[in-house]
Amino acid sequence: MPITNDSVFMPSVLTFIGIPGLEPVQCWIGILFCVMYIIAVIGNSLLLIIIKYEPSLHEPMYIFLAMLGATDIALSTSIVPKMLGIFWFHLPEIYFDACLFQMWLIHTFQGIESGVLLAMALDRYIAIRYPLRHATIFTQQLVTRIGVGVTVRPAILVIPCLLLIKCRLKLYRTKLISHTYCEHMALVKLATGNVYINKFYGLLGAFIVGGLDFIFITVSYIQIFITVFHLPQKEARLKAFNTCIPHICVFFQFYGLIGILYPIIYSHHLV
């Protein structure tokens, strides 16, 4: 990408465009996002309270569900308040370092959600494949280690993205971000010069977290379905399958959205 006279050296402030083409109705769109945010926060908070104070729910599946609820609150809180500031109060500016921090939060929480879904799939696999050994395999200590692992993994993997942007990308052709939040590829495309290393690592990180998790979850559920279909009694098959339905719905919702958005985002920025 050539350097022009309009290039800016390490801008201290960036500006969100919002939703291009929908500027006149962004105020009303903000109401919709606000309502969804409130519902998400209240619903997930109630879920956390119920799991915390109900001893019978202190099992791996519900602990992972609580982690998923807490991550949903954190992820939406990382995006929606600033988005509403853009839509309602005309506050589109954000400091460059604050933008990097928001990007780290968003991609980290997305990675945590993916890791928790993988942990839930493994929990169901062990519960259905080895029901008598489930309690001895998924101990409290193992659940804690899994929780730490799925949190630390994306947090560490996203850090090089920040460093590559901070250390390599010095000149920017514009300070306008065509988004309502800071996302890796949207920020990288603002820069001039060679950004292929940044794009490559972004794709690599997305595959290591989301791609591998998707593969392992798919393999886990193939094994689960094979085990369920080999159960001798119909009632046992239905009971085993019903325990997986909520997680399957969440799985398709999460990866379905990613499957739609990521090819569009990355194919656009890799041109």
Side-chain angles (χ1 to χ4, degrees):
M1 191 177 294
I3 299 175
T4 65
N5 293 331
D6 296 329
S7 297
V8 181
F9 181 80
M10 291 296 293
S12 59
V13 177
L14 299 172
T15 303
F16 293 113
I17 293 178
I19 304 178
L22 295 178
E23 290 83 358
V25 296
Q26 284 185 160
C27 179
W28 301 105
I29 296 175
I31 296 176
L32 177 61
F33 276 103
C34 182
V35 171
M36 291 191 297
Y37 174 66
I38 292 173
I39 293 174
V41 171
I42 293 176
N44 284 300
S45 297
L46 290 174
L47 176 67
L48 293 174
I49 293 172
I50 292 172
I51 293 176
K52 177 179 175 60
Y53 291 104
E54 178 53 54
S56 63
L57 300 181
H58 294 176
E59 298 180 1
M61 187 65 177
Y62 297 106
I63 293 175
F64 293 140
L65 188 61
M67 289 182 60
L68 196 62
T71 305
D72 282 340
I73 294 175
L75 178 59
S76 58
T77 302
S78 301
I79 298 175
V80 177
K82 180 59 183 177
M83 183 186 297
L84 296 180
I86 299 169
F87 292 165
W88 289 350
F89 307 108
H90 306 291
L91 299 172
E93 292 83 12
I94 186 172
Y95 287 109
F96 188 86
D97 290 338
C99 183
L100 290 179
F101 181 64
Q102 186 191 46
M103 185 188 81
W104 179 77
L105 289 176
I106 291 172
H107 291 303
T108 296
F109 291 135
Q110 287 176 336
I112 293 173
E113 285 192 338
S114 178
V116 172
L117 288 175
L118 174 58
M120 294 171 71
L122 294 176
D123 173 74
R124 289 300 87 197
Y125 171 75
I126 298 297
I128 293 174
R129 190 72 181 270
Y130 309 105
L132 299 179
R133 298 173 54 192
H134 177 263
T136 58
I137 295 176
F138 265 85
T139 61
Q140 188 67 37
Q141 186 179 17
L142 179 61
V143 172
T144 301
R145 290 178 179 177
I146 292 175
V148 173
V150 300
T151 302
V152 172
R153 181 191 58 162
I156 293 177
L157 283 174
V158 177
I159 290 177
C161 289
L162 310 183
L163 297 177
L164 285 172
I165 291 174
K166 193 74 172 178
C167 298
R168 294 191 71 254
L169 307 183
K170 301 297 184 181
L171 291 175
Y172 292 79
R173 61 182 179 84
T174 180
K175 297 188 293 183
L176 301 178
I177 300 178
S178 56
H179 268 305
T180 55
Y181 59 90
C182 289
E183 177 263 327
H184 177 250
M185 296 305 293
L187 190 58
V188 167
K189 82 165 189 174
L190 303 183
T192 62
N194 187 351
V195 297
Y196 285 102
I197 294 178
N198 299 76
K199 292 179 178 180
F200 173 77
Y201 185 81
L203 286 170
L204 179 64
F207 174 75
I208 291 175
V209 177
L212 290 180
D213 288 353
F214 177 83
I215 293 172
F216 289 139
I217 292 173
T218 302
V219 171
S220 296
Y221 268 96
I222 290 175
Q223 293 297 320
I224 288 173
F225 290 147
I226 292 174
T227 303
V228 169
F229 290 143
H230 281 84
L231 292 176
Q233 297 179 348
K234 181 179 179 180
E235 292 77 9
R237 291 197 297 269
L238 290 175
K239 182 178 179 181
F241 185 72
N242 286 335
T243 63
C244 301
I245 289 179
H247 179 251
I248 293 174
C249 294
V250 176
F251 168 74
F252 279 112
Q253 179 185 8
F254 180 78
Y255 281 100
L257 183 61
I258 289 180
I260 294 172
L261 293 181
Y262 268 65
I264 296 174
I265 293 173
Y266 280 89
S267 62
H268 173 72
H269 294 320
L270 287 170
V271 175

